[in-house]
């Protein structure tokens, strides 16, 4: 009995810790999103105005100090997240809509049509992601829309493959055969039999892609792609201020911490949401 009680106690502690971790992840993700979306409304200064000497240490007037040209780091931090979060969300939505559509349809199609779709997306997959971003940014200089489309294209092959595999696993089950036997249309089968059973996979996959999209969007900013200076961007802030990291770390550390915290939190939440959907 003691062994059983100990096991139950251990399981309860694990569940409690998991809940605490998810609560912390949800809180962290919400704080970062609010800072990114509402930050420009509460920023204490202009993100482009020089308010002091370059690389000043934190003070009462400037809690995170100043950057390479003397701009307030806190103000640029509050302005720089909106582009990263919105572009990553837009790219994830774009890749999800196209990826789920192509993945489900190719999973239900015959062998040859399905393989044809996979081979087409494989052509996109072999192109390095940064090369896609560089080409689009060169064709549309200063365009954040080009970055959104580029990140979406980079994410698309993975989405199509995952959703096709999940669809094929569901399509061979008995309830799908029964739906076909009673004459249900393909759209009805997709809506009532396929999508409810692949939603968990779709959510987990979207969470992974969103984290990757945040990384790619920040990398694009680091490389100076998209809307150029003096527009604030967390990725660009890291690049702009590395030269003064020996004088003050906050212009580099603050945006980097937000990016890492956000991506880790989103991954944890996406995994939990997918598990809950699977249990349901």
């Amino acid at each position: 009995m003691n062994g059983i009680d100990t096991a139950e106690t251990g399981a309860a502690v694990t569940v409690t810790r998991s809940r605490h971790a998810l609560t912390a992840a949800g809180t962290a993700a919400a704080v970062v999103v609010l800072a990114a979306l509402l930050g420009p409304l509460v920023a204490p200064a202009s993100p482009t105005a020089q308010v002091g000497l370059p690389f000043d240490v934190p003070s009462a007037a400037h809690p995170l100090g100043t950057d390479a040209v003397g701009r307030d780091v806190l103000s640029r931090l509050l302005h720089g997240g909106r582009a990263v979060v919105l572009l990553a969300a837009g790219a994830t939505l774009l890749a999800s809509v196209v990826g789920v559509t192509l993945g489900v349809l190719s999973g239900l199609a015959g062998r040859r049509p399905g393989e044809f779709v996979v081979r087409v997306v494989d052509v996109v997959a072999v192109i390095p992601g940064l090369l896609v971003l560089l080409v689009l940014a060169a064709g549309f200089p200063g365009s954040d829309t080009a970055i959104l489309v580029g990140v979406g294209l980079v994410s698309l092959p993975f989405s199509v493959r995952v959703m096709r595999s999940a669809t094929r696993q569901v399509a061979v089950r008995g309830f799908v055969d029964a739906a076909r036997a009673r004459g249900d249309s393909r759209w009805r089968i997709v809506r009532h039999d396929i999508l409810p059973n692949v939603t968990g996979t779709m959510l987990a996959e979207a969470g992974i892609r969103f984290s990757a999209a945040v990384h790619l969007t920040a990398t694009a900013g680091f490389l100076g792609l998209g809307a150029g200076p003096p527009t604030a961007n967390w990725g660009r802030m890291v690049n702009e201020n590395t030269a003064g990291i020996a004088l003050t770390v906050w212009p580099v550390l603050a945006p980097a911490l937000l990016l890492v915290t956000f991506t880790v939190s989103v991954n944890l939440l996406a995994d939990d949401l997918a598990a809950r959907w699977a249990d349901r």
Side-chain angles (χ1 to χ4, degrees):
M1 293 296 293
N2 290 337
I4 295 176
D5 292 341
T6 302
E8 291 179 348
T9 301
V13 171
T14 301
V15 170
T16 301
R17 288 177 177 174
S18 176
R19 289 177 179 173
H20 288 332
L22 290 172
T23 300
T27 302
V31 168
V32 175
V33 170
L34 287 175
L37 300 182
L38 303 181
L41 302 178
V42 298
S46 168
T48 59
Q50 184 176 0
V51 296
L53 295 174
F55 297 124
D56 266 349
V57 296
S59 63
H62 309 295
L64 295 179
T66 60
D67 69 357
V69 294
R71 298 169 296 199
D72 182 53
V73 172
L74 177 59
S75 297
R76 289 188 64 76
L77 195 70
L78 292 172
H79 278 83
R82 180 176 290 182
V84 173
V85 172
L86 291 182
L87 287 177
T92 302
L93 179 61
L94 174 64
S96 294
V97 171
V98 179
V100 170
T101 301
L102 291 178
V104 170
L105 292 180
S106 64
L108 291 176
R111 181 174 178 274
R112 288 188 177 180
E115 289 296 327
F116 176 76
V117 172
V118 171
R119 296 297 170 258
V120 171
V121 297
D122 281 348
V123 172
V124 179
V126 299
I127 304 174
L130 285 179
L131 180 59
V132 174
L133 294 178
L134 288 170
V135 170
L136 287 175
F140 304 93
S143 172
D144 279 341
T145 303
I147 302 302
L148 186 153
V149 173
V151 175
L153 283 175
V154 171
S155 305
L156 182 60
F158 179 72
S159 179
V160 172
R161 277 190 166 277
V162 170
M163 295 311 302
R164 180 173 183 262
S165 176
T167 299
R168 294 183 69 183
Q169 291 178 13
V170 174
V172 297
R173 296 183 181 177
F175 58 84
V176 177
D177 291 335
R180 287 175 177 148
R182 64 174 176 260
D184 287 355
S185 66
R186 176 168 295 187
W187 165 243
R188 184 176 178 83
I189 291 173
V190 169
R191 182 180 176 184
H192 294 285
D193 299 303
I194 301 297
L195 288 181
N197 288 283
V198 300
T199 300
T201 301
M202 180 177 65
L203 292 174
E205 187 263 337
I208 294 172
R209 279 191 295 102
F210 182 67
S211 298
V214 171
H215 172 74
L216 280 173
T217 305
T219 301
F222 182 88
L223 296 174
L225 308 179
T231 304
N233 180 292
W234 287 345
R236 186 176 297 115
M237 287 178 68
V238 175
N239 185 34
E240 290 173 340
N241 298 297
T242 50
I245 198 169
L247 301 174
T248 175
V249 299
W250 290 110
V252 173
L253 184 61
L257 282 175
L258 286 177
L259 288 169
V260 171
T261 300
F262 189 47
T263 53
V264 171
S265 299
V266 168
N267 266 336
L268 289 174
L269 293 173
D271 289 344
D272 178 66
L273 184 60
R276 288 175 183 271
W277 189 275
D279 292 339
R280 176 183 174 186

